[in-house]
Amino acid sequence: MRATVRGVTLTGAALLAVVVAAGAWVWSSGGADAPSASPPKTLRVITWNICGEAGGERGQSGYCPLRDRPEKKAGRIAALARERDANVITLQEVCGGAPGSHVALLRAALGPGWSVRHAEGARPDGETRCRDGLSGDLGVAVAVRGEIVRARSENALPPDPQGVSGQTLPVLCVRVEGWTYTPCTTHVLPGEEPRVREQIAAVRAFVRAEDRPAVLTGDFNRNAGAPQLAPLVSSYAVCPAADGSGRGAVTYHAWDPEKRAHRFHELDHIFFDSPPGVRDPLVDCGVGEDLMDTTPNEPGGPGPDGYSDHAPVYADIRTGS
């Protein structure tokens, strides 16, 4: 059975149309404060694997909803950020570094006051360029409502010992003017091969090298109770937290064509440091399942009912500032 979690209320089509058409938005008088160098008292984080570069037609294993509509994905991310009053957005499987890419479209949709950085990674074939007419290079991205003063990234995935895969998977951290916390994001290799533990250790070491409180987000390709994630679970608080069964909230949907069955998994997490002197720093934690495609991936089937095979995860974290 699917876990019951709070979904993110969808923004009306009319509002989305205005956001996308204008390429920006203006915060309402009842919304967030104007961006400044003052550290936010609450980090309002959204992380989302938007499967923006995945290949494949409907019915194929690499199928991604709305893959050919990057402007729709960027518009929905921006609308969700406004609805959540977010000040941190992190993305995986996103194209960036070129006009018309997801990152470029998102930067325009978010408008003034936001900064965005992108770090590229390579597919198993070793290529970084996004396929089939999409602009930019594959990778991860961090957007913040503030001024990024430094960005660091590195490939955290060790080389394939068999020399077959040329895949790279970056970890990206940014420092923001006036902020005490460092937002970071990554994408961890699926499966059980030894490189997974090495990659997770490299990610943890990279983030800890910031030597300051951090929020580490991403698609970790396993639930929070998985043994490979123990170094992160023992170092940070996590949203969504695993329950007693080792399972957390549903963040990913796959279709099994042989068994004609839905498969739901808990792959996406927000790890964060608890600031000294702050009890219960996690104000809110949830998953926007309404934005995840849950239709059977069959040839000639109906259109998707979501924007990605992943759902966005959000957390509001009290910083103690």
Side-chain angles (χ1 to χ4, degrees):
M1 294 179 64
R2 295 179 63 179
T4 301
V5 296
R6 287 167 293 185
V8 176
T9 304
L10 297 179
T11 305
L15 175 58
L16 178 57
V18 169
V19 169
V20 175
W25 69 59
V26 177
W27 297 102
S28 68
S29 59
D33 295 335
S36 71
S38 300
K41 294 183 179 180
T42 301
L43 286 185
R44 293 178 293 275
V45 182
I46 297 171
T47 188
W48 198 358
N49 181 333
I50 63 168
C51 75
E53 200 274 340
E57 302 293 331
R58 187 76 164 164
Q60 297 178 352
S61 60
Y63 170 73
C64 173
L66 299 175
R67 183 191 181 281
D68 59 345
R69 300 297 301 275
E71 77 285 355
K72 276 188 168 287
K73 295 205 181 201
R76 172 47 69 195
I77 296 164
L80 177 61
R82 186 180 192 278
E83 185 170 311
R84 290 291 312 165
D85 194 16
N87 46 33
V88 178
I89 305 166
T90 69
L91 303 171
Q92 303 83 45
E93 292 190 31
V94 60
C95 301
S101 65
H102 297 106
V103 170
L105 293 168
L106 179 62
R107 184 181 286 113
L110 290 171
W114 284 82
S115 304
V116 190
R117 295 293 185 272
H118 174 263
E120 70 179 41
R123 298 187 301 271
D125 62 5
E127 293 295 324
T128 64
R129 298 297 294 175
C130 290
R131 295 169 285 182
D132 298 336
L134 289 175
S135 298
D137 293 295
L138 176 64
V140 298
V142 176
V144 299
R145 189 144 51 98
E147 181 180 353
I148 293 175
V149 295
R150 190 181 81 167
R152 298 171 56 239
S153 66
E154 72 174 18
N155 170 41
L157 180 64
D160 177 10
Q162 305 301 319
V164 175
S165 174
Q167 187 171 15
T168 61
L169 291 166
V171 53
L172 168 66
C173 293
V174 304
R175 289 198 181 189
V176 187
E177 183 180 358
W179 288 24
T180 55
Y181 267 70
T182 295
C184 302
T185 195
T186 195
H187 190 177
V188 173
L189 191 72
E192 302 299 324
E193 62 176 285
R195 286 196 298 164
V196 170
R197 292 182 184 272
E198 296 178 56
Q199 182 190 3
I200 291 169
V203 167
R204 183 185 181 280
F206 184 88
V207 175
R208 280 303 186 214
E210 288 289 325
D211 196 27
R212 62 200 319 226
V215 175
L216 170 62
T217 71
D219 175 2
F220 294 87
N221 267 308
R222 50 202 37 86
N223 67 62
Q228 296 98 328
L229 287 183
L232 298 180
V233 172
S234 64
S235 300
Y236 301 95
V238 60
C239 159
D243 59 23
S245 67
R247 301 173 66 86
V250 171
T251 72
Y252 172 75
H253 166 262
W255 174 250
D256 186 332
E258 295 184 0
K259 297 183 179 180
R260 297 188 57 79
H262 298 276
R263 301 296 184 200
F264 296 99
H265 301 280
E266 309 79 29
L267 308 182
D268 308 86
H269 311 286
I270 298 173
F271 294 97
F272 58 96
D273 283 305
S274 297
V278 177
R279 298 184 62 183
D280 301 323
L282 188 61
V283 178
D284 198 7
C285 171
V287 179
E289 287 191 41
D290 291 341
L291 299 179
M292 177 174 62
D293 177 33
T294 57
T295 58
N297 182 22
E298 297 285 353
D305 61 3
Y307 289 77
S308 172
D309 51 0
H310 289 253
V313 177
Y314 62 83
D316 294 353
I317 302 163
R318 209 176 276 115
T319 67
S321 302

